């Protein structure tokens, strides 16, 4: 089996994929900008090869891609740096092609669909983003899909909904987990009672490795839905119930998000994505299930229990050499 490299490995999805590869007894390369960070996250795993890259230097990107068969692209940038997404993708793609990398797997989002036109969105839904961030994400996908069509490299794209799980701070539910575990009040972004789905991040790794290994995966994108349709309100109630505290939260509406955005770059950029709280994208992933068969989907109740456990002072040992993601 050829070398698998995780570009942007130190995020939560990188951890989930690394754990899946570790469990399969496979070696893998982790690529990031800081050796110290990679060492801290993956240094305990003898199956992980640590490689740094400078994403501003083509020679460095090529060196990181050298000898790789499958490149999994996981780079995430803050909302206010989204303009970097197509730039970094183009450089990585060019470097991968120059080095003879056979396949790229891109971990993507729902943003390119834009405002949903149907209650449930499958892969035939048009990609017509009305937001700047959606257009930049679509530009990344278009670069990859064009390269696949041209026969330069094989590409598959996996679209994920909002994240949650142990150690996942970049989640609308994170504040609720922290506040509930301390019996405090959570601040949520509303409305919170609209349909919503979340993916439990530890479930992502096994799905990515199954997709990556499937010859039928390439040349297109795939939806991966969450463990069913729920709402922030329903999940937050369960988070507090499992934490053993009465639910206590306040909800920020779009006006407050705009106001706080005067001071916070994240909240400012969140404004244009607010439609996802009122017109949520709920993904139909039947095509992916038809391709891969069973997909691991941890029920929300269990995912909440495990996420709370990871916040407790004495986390349960995970039995593998990675620190919990
Ligand atoms: N959070 C969600 O709900 C959600 C939902 C759907 C999709 N996604 C997307 O799924 C992907 C994986 O998510 P994740 O949370 O695992 O990723 P992440 O933590 O957002 O980013 C992964 C890694 O990218 C690297 N990175 C950041 N800025 C960079 C830059 N300017 N140049 C090069 N590398 C840079 C960092 O690694 P180093 O510092 O080690 O270099 C970081 O650890 C991301 O693209 C994310 O946006 C997220």
């Amino acid at each position: 089996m050829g070398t698998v490299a995780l570009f942007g490995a130190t995020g939560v999805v990188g951890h989930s994929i690394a754990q899946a590869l570790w469990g399969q007894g496979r070696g893998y390369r982790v690529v990031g900008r800081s050796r110290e960070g990679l060492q801290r996250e993956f240094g305990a795993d003898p199956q992980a090869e640590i490689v740094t890259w400078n994403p501003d230097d083509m020679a460095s990107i090529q060196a990181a891609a050298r000898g790789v068969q499958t490149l999994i692209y996981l780079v995430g940038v803050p909302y206010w740096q989204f303009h970097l997404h197509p730039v970094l993708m183009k450089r990585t793609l060019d470097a991968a092609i120059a080095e003879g990398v056979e396949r790229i797997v891109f971990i993507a989002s729902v943003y390119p669909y834009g405002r949903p036109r149907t209650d449930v969105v499958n892969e035939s839904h048009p990609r017509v983003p009305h937001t700047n961030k959606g257009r930049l994400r679509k530009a990344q996908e278009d670069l990859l899909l064009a390269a696949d069509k041209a026969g330069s490299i094989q590409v598959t794209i996996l679209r994920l909904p909002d994240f949650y799980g142990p150690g996942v701070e970049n989640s609308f539910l994170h504040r609720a987990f922290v506040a509930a575990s301390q019996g405090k009040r959570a601040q949520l972004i509303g409305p919170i009672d609209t349909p919503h789905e979340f993916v439990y991040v530890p479930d992502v790794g096994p799905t990515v490795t199954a997709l990556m290994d499937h010859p039928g995966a390439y040349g297109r994108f795939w939806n991966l839905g969450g463990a069913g349709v729920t709402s922030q309100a329903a999940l937050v109630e369960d988070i507090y119930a499992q934490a053993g505290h009465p639910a206590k939260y306040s909800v920020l509406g779009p006006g407050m998000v705009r106001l706080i955005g005067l001071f916070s770059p994240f909240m400012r950029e969140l404004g244009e994505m607010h439609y996802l709280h009122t017109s949520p994208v709920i993904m139909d992933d039947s095509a992916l299930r038809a391709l891969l068969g069973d997909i691991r989907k941890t029920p929300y109740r269990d995912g909440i229990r495990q996420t709370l456990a990871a916040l407790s002072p004495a986390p349960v040992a995970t039995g593998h050499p990675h620190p919990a993601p």
Side-chain angles (χ1 to χ4, degrees), residues 5 7 29 31 51 60-69 71 92 95-96 99 101:
F7 276 58
R29 180 178 298 177
V31 179
V51 172
S60 164
I61 307 174
Q62 279 191 226
R66 196 154 299 147
V68 169
Q69 182 192 44
L71 189 160
T92 309
E99 289 299 326
V101 172

Side-chain angles (χ1 to χ4, degrees), residues 7-14 31-34 37-38 53 55 73-78 81-82 84-85 88 106-110 137 160-164 168 170-171:
F7 276 58
T10 55
V12 290
V13 176
V31 179
R33 292 167 300 172
S34 145
L38 291 166
W53 69 326
Y73 188 88
L74 302 157
V75 171
V77 296
Q81 290 184 337
F82 252 49
L84 292 176
H85 268 318
L88 293 171
F106 174 40
I107 303 305
S109 73
V110 300
R137 281 304 212 178
L160 304 182
D162 283 337
F163 296 177
Y164 84 107
V168 182
N170 198 358
S171 165

